[in-house]
Amino acid sequence: MTGKPVGNDLRQHKKTLPVALALAQDGDSTVELAQLLERELSEGEVERATRLLEQCGAREDTMAIGEAQLAAALTSLERVPLELGPRAELAAIAHYVTARDR
């Protein structure tokens, strides 16, 4: 866990990757999400926006991008002339960062 309250980025209208991916799509869910993000959100609206992100597939798309970036980073790390210990530590950090919110 990141330690942040659930929905905090939505409350603050931050354009996170899941939000950007969802808003780039077409459909009723995208339109409703965009309308919600134009105003201050109540707790119920934060929950609704979270459900809309799920419906748009934003979580799955974000996870896929994270996994692709992790794979690319680990491949690049293998080419760096490091001893096994530091390389393993860097790989462990990369795995931790991408898996911490699952």
Side-chain angles (χ1 to χ4, degrees):
M1 298 295 292
T2 62
K4 297 187 309 184
V6 174
N8 200 45
D9 287 343
L10 289 169
R11 281 183 203 87
Q12 295 178 8
H13 299 279
K14 291 185 178 180
K15 298 296 188 255
T16 61
L17 181 58
V19 169
L21 291 171
L23 293 176
Q25 298 179 14
D26 290 326
D28 294 338
S29 295
T30 302
V31 171
E32 184 179 352
L33 179 62
Q35 290 171 345
L36 282 172
L37 294 176
E38 291 176 355
R39 61 179 182 268
E40 294 295 317
L41 300 177
S42 68
E43 280 307 307
E45 289 171 327
V46 169
E47 291 173 15
R48 178 66 183 149
T50 300
R51 285 193 304 275
L52 290 168
L53 287 171
E54 289 287 333
Q55 289 174 9
C56 291
R59 178 175 169 74
E60 292 82 14
D61 292 346
T62 300
M63 298 297 283
I65 290 169
E67 289 173 13
Q69 292 296 315
L70 173 62
L74 294 175
T75 298
S76 295
L77 185 58
E78 287 298 318
R79 294 191 303 258
V80 176
L82 289 174
E83 295 178 20
L84 184 56
R87 180 179 290 127
E89 289 175 21
L90 289 170
I93 291 168
H95 282 287
Y96 171 77
V97 169
T98 56
R100 67 179 184 203
D101 289 333
R102 290 183 184 187

